[in-house]
């Protein structure tokens, strides 16, 4: 190197940022985000909490500090429902499954939380009718947070996978890039530690540095844009935490049955009512859980919540919807993961 | 979102200084999208305290960008972000900047910005302050709210790491000098 590294670095930095200019609506977006931040806190934490739990143990729904509607008459509500449906391992049921939707769903959650699985997680937010500039036509702004595929073993609390960070859709970026992969993120989870590393392509250089942090996969993936993390989210692989969480289920109903034999699926709908507060109007989280009928293992979970400010006339009147879809497969898959060797201290 | 009245000063600031602020944020965050996120996060912070700091918003905004990059940005998404431009982008940028660079130089600078993006946040922030913003060590320490010693050690460690990253180019240079020297002697 004929020039000092300081000079080369300065030149490299100049080249790196040559021609950059901020989006014309960046201040408007900041104002919007500022006004939205308070009101999304509740909604985001709800979705995130559910996502954390779902990914950590294959089960959804955790609403610490919120009041839950009692389940409908006739369902096996409350703690007795969980204890009456003993944990099972996969398809081998030692006793007949409970008949009430709520108890059967609890059993499915418990079973799924004890077997390793492959999962696909898609998490995003949608701002309907977003205007990029004051004169641009309204269109939905879709911000993807995670498109993750990986495996996880609740017993060893370990797993690994690949997350695709996709470009926003409907924003200021090049429309040709809307929804396209922008970054690839490898993730490893071991206990309460996560490791991530990034690449702009789907190939990672051998020996490239990983960054480690403390927290669940949901935190590693920064679901919901990293906003609204609730420390009491119930995001644990501990079955005791799981059961305590699912006992607080909201309204659950069996919405349908499809297929036959090994392809038979039961579909459950659930719903939480969430009270409003000084920053957010009353809203609800709704979701669907699809369960394999024969094995009573969860096939997929879809959930979403739409949040509106408490005072739209003086704040932001727009709505934001947070949506998460989790798909589970390959129950019993072998999961072997070790900490990476090259880890950054950042 | 009504910005034209309440935050008119902020709009004017971004119009005037937005490119430089985004450049700083991009270098700190490791990529354009993350840089814009970082700048927006800093703007949100400024808006929150607008009444108090509207007299001197740029100073507050710049300080906030650095503090978010060092202390809090890790908690947000896109930590790794895009590590650097593609070679084609680097070539284009070099041409635009009027730099008659060789391919080796382009690769070297790509490696440098990639290496910069992989440094711990404080080291990265110090190097950006020193070699992008051209601040003195004491000015950098003042802006980051840390000691002069921290700036010195972070600079030293950051540069050492970048030297490691760019060692292959240094080796090529040495070989070239040696062959040139042999050629001159013969």
């Amino acid at each position: 190197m004929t020039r000092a590294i300081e000079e080369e670095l300065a030149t490299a930095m100049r080249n790196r940022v040559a021609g950059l200019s901020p989006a014309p609506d960046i201040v408007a977006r900041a104002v919007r985000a500022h006004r939205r931040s308070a009101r999304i806190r509740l909604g985001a934490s709800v979705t995130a909490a559910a996502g954390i739990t779902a990914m950590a143990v294959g089960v959804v729904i955790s609403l610490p500090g919120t009041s839950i509607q009692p389940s409908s008459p006739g369902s096996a509500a409350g703690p007795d429902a969980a204890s009456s449906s003993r944990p099972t391992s996969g398809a081998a049921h030692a006793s007949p499954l409970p008949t009430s939707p709520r108890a059967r769903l609890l059993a499915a959650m418990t079973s799924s939380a004890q077997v390793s699985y492959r999962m696909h997680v898609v998490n995003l937010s949608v701002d309907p009718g977003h205007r990029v500039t004051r004169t641009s036509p309204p269109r939905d702004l879709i911000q993807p947070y995670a498109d993750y595929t990986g495996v996880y073993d609740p017993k060893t609390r370990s797993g690994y996978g690949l997350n695709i960070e996709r470009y926003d859709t409907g924003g200021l970026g090049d429309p040709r890039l809307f929804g396209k992969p922008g970054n690839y993120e490898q993730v490893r989870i071991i206990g309460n530690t996560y490791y991530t590393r990034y690449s702009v392509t789907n190939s990672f250089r051998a020996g490239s540095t990983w960054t480690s942090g403390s927290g669940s996969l949901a935190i590693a993936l920064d679901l919901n844009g990293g906003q609204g993390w609730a420390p009491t989210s119930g995001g644990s692989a501990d079955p005791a935490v799981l059961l305590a969480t699912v006992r607080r289920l909201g309204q659950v109903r069996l919405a349908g049955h499809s297929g036959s034999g090994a392809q038979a699926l039961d579909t459950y709908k659930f719903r939480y009512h969430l009270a409003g507060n000084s920053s957010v109007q009353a809203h609800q989280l709704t979701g669907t859980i699809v369960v394999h009928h024969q094995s009573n293992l969860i096939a997929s979970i879809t959930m979403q919540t739409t949040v509106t400010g408490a005072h739209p006339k003086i704040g932001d009147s727009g709505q934001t919807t947070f949506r998460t879809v989790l798909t589970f497969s390959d129950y019993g898959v072998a999961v072997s993961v070790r900490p990476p060797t090259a880890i950054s201290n950042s | 979102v009504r910005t034209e009245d309440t935050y008119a000063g902020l709009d004017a600031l971004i119009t005037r200084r937005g490119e430089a602020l985004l450049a700083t944020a991009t270098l700190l965050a490791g990529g354009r999208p993350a840089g814009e996120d970082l700048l927006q996060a800093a703007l949100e912070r400024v808006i929150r305290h607008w009444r108090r700091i509207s007299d001197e918003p740029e100073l507050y905004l710049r300080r906030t960008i650095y503090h978010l990059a060092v202390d809090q940005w890790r908690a947000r998404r896109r930590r790794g972000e895009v590590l650097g431009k593609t070679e084609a982008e680097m070539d284009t940028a070099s041409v635009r900047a009027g730099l008659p660079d060789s391919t080796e130089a382009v690769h070297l600078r790509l490696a440098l910005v990639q290496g910069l993006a992989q440094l711990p946040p404080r080291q990265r922030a110090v190097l950006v302050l020193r070699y992008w913003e051209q601040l003195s060590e004491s000015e950098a320490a003042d802006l980051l709210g840390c000691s002069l010693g921290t700036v010195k050690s972070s600079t030293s460690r950051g540069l050492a790491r970048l030297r490691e990253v760019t060692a292959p180019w240094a080796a090529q240079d040495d070989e070239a000098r040696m062959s040139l020297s042999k050629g001159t002697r013969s």
Side-chain angles (χ1 to χ4, degrees):
Chain A
M1 202 177 319
T2 51
R3 296 207 300 171
I5 193 169
E6 293 89 340
E7 293 175 52
E8 292 289 359
L9 178 60
T11 305
M13 288 195 281
R14 278 197 303 275
N15 290 0
R16 177 68 186 84
V17 298
L20 290 184
S21 59
D25 70 334
I26 192 166
V27 174
R29 276 193 284 154
V31 172
R32 183 181 170 86
H34 163 67
R35 288 174 176 164
R36 190 175 57 188
S37 60
R39 70 180 169 82
I40 69 168
R41 194 169 298 125
L42 183 56
S45 63
V46 167
T47 311
I52 289 168
T53 310
M55 286 191 295
V57 297
V59 177
V60 285
I61 306 167
S62 166
L63 291 171
T66 58
S67 61
I68 304 301
Q69 298 290 314
S71 58
S72 57
S75 66
D80 291 344
S83 56
S84 67
S85 55
R86 291 192 292 125
T88 59
S89 58
H93 295 296
S95 60
L97 285 167
T99 54
S100 82
R102 182 186 178 86
R104 195 175 159 85
L105 183 57
L106 282 169
M109 290 174 161
T110 307
S111 303
S112 305
Q114 296 181 9
V115 191
S116 60
Y117 45 76
R118 187 178 307 280
M119 61 186 164
H120 180 215
V121 182
V122 175
N123 174 238
L124 52 82
S125 71
V126 181
D127 285 19
H130 173 76
R131 287 181 188 275
V132 176
T133 66
R134 292 187 189 104
T135 56
S136 62
R139 58 187 177 190
D140 290 356
L141 174 65
I142 301 171
Q143 296 180 289
Y145 301 125
D147 183 351
Y148 175 84
T149 304
V151 294
Y152 187 77
D153 186 347
K155 286 183 179 171
T156 59
R157 299 176 61 215
S158 61
Y160 60 91
L162 178 72
N163 184 37
I164 302 173
E165 289 189 342
R166 296 185 180 279
Y167 285 98
D168 295 350
T169 296
L172 271 178
D174 184 344
R176 290 172 299 183
L177 294 176
F178 285 179
K180 297 280 176 58
N183 274 322
Y184 295 83
E185 176 187 21
Q186 279 189 335
V187 180
R188 293 183 191 175
I189 296 282
I190 300 173
N192 198 41
T193 302
Y194 66 79
Y195 307 89
T196 61
R197 66 174 176 175
Y198 292 82
S199 173
V200 292
T201 66
N202 190 11
S203 63
F204 290 78
R205 192 165 46 83
S208 62
T209 304
W210 295 71
T211 299
S212 67
S214 179
S216 69
L217 175 62
I219 292 172
L221 295 179
D222 287 335
L223 293 192
N224 295 319
Q227 299 174 86
W229 296 120
T232 54
S233 61
S236 169
D238 184 342
V241 176
L242 157 68
L243 290 175
T245 300
V246 297
R247 282 169 186 163
R248 293 184 288 190
L249 272 171
Q251 294 180 354
V252 176
R253 66 183 175 86
L254 182 61
H257 182 86
S258 63
S260 61
Q263 308 301 318
L265 298 170
D266 296 327
T267 300
Y268 298 86
K269 300 280 188 184
F270 65 90
R271 188 174 71 220
Y272 285 103
H273 292 285
L274 297 161
N277 60 19
S278 59
S279 63
V280 63
Q281 294 182 21
H283 62 290
Q284 61 182 8
L285 183 145
T286 59
T288 301
I289 302 178
V290 178
V291 178
H292 294 287
H293 183 78
Q294 276 194 349
S295 63
N296 208 38
L297 293 169
I298 294 172
S300 69
I301 300 167
T302 304
M303 55 198 158
Q304 69 175 35
T305 186
T306 297
V307 185
T308 306
H311 308 287
K313 287 185 179 176
I314 59 173
D316 184 359
S317 60
Q319 292 185 326
T320 301
T321 296
F322 294 90
R323 191 174 297 152
T324 306
V325 178
L326 305 104
T327 309
F328 300 89
S329 61
D330 289 356
Y331 281 102
V333 63
V335 178
S336 175
V337 55
R338 287 183 300 181
T341 50
I343 302 170
S344 161
N345 294 323
S346 62
Chain B
V1 178
R2 293 186 310 158
T3 62
E4 54 272 26
D5 302 329
T6 316
Y7 305 112
L10 210 48
D11 267 331
L13 171 63
I14 291 300
T15 301
R16 196 174 69 253
R17 295 281 298 151
E19 289 184 8
L21 290 165
L22 178 61
T24 298
T26 297
L27 292 170
L28 289 170
R32 162 68 191 264
E36 192 142 319
D37 281 357
L38 175 56
L39 177 57
Q40 182 178 324
L43 283 167
E44 287 175 46
R45 186 70 63 89
V46 167
I47 288 165
R48 202 179 305 161
H49 303 288
W50 182 246
R51 287 180 186 170
R52 183 161 57 82
I53 54 93
S54 55
D55 290 344
E56 222 172 5
E58 182 174 353
L59 177 64
Y60 189 90
L61 184 55
R62 288 179 69 245
R63 198 180 289 269
T64 302
I65 289 171
Y66 277 97
H67 283 206
L68 283 174
V70 172
D71 298 327
Q72 296 186 18
W73 187 243
R74 282 170 291 167
R76 292 178 65 95
R77 74 186 288 244
R78 290 173 166 166
R79 284 177 302 272
E81 203 44 68
V82 180
L83 298 178
K85 289 188 172 182
T86 64
E87 291 173 21
E89 286 175 307
M90 289 289 287
D91 285 338
T92 305
S94 298
V95 169
R96 198 163 45 217
L99 302 171
D101 291 330
S102 65
T103 304
E104 288 74 16
V106 171
H107 286 180
L108 166 64
R109 287 164 196 165
L110 177 60
L112 279 170
V113 292
Q114 287 179 329
L116 180 72
Q118 291 181 340
L119 292 177
R122 186 180 295 277
Q123 288 178 21
R124 196 185 319 156
V126 167
L127 292 186
V128 172
L129 281 168
R130 295 281 286 117
Y131 302 112
W132 164 248
E133 302 230 21
Q134 303 285 314
L135 295 191
S136 68
E137 289 176 334
S138 58
E139 288 170 332
D142 180 54
L143 195 142
L144 289 175
C146 64
S147 69
L148 191 60
T150 300
V151 170
K152 287 177 185 288
S153 62
S154 296
T155 305
S156 171
R157 287 175 187 158
L159 288 176
R161 176 66 189 135
L162 292 181
R163 283 194 186 93
E164 288 175 21
V165 169
T166 56
W169 284 273
Q172 283 175 8
D173 263 14
D174 289 344
E175 286 173 15
R177 275 197 294 274
M178 284 180 69
S179 61
L180 186 64
S181 167
K182 284 177 185 171
T184 307
R185 279 200 299 270
S186 63

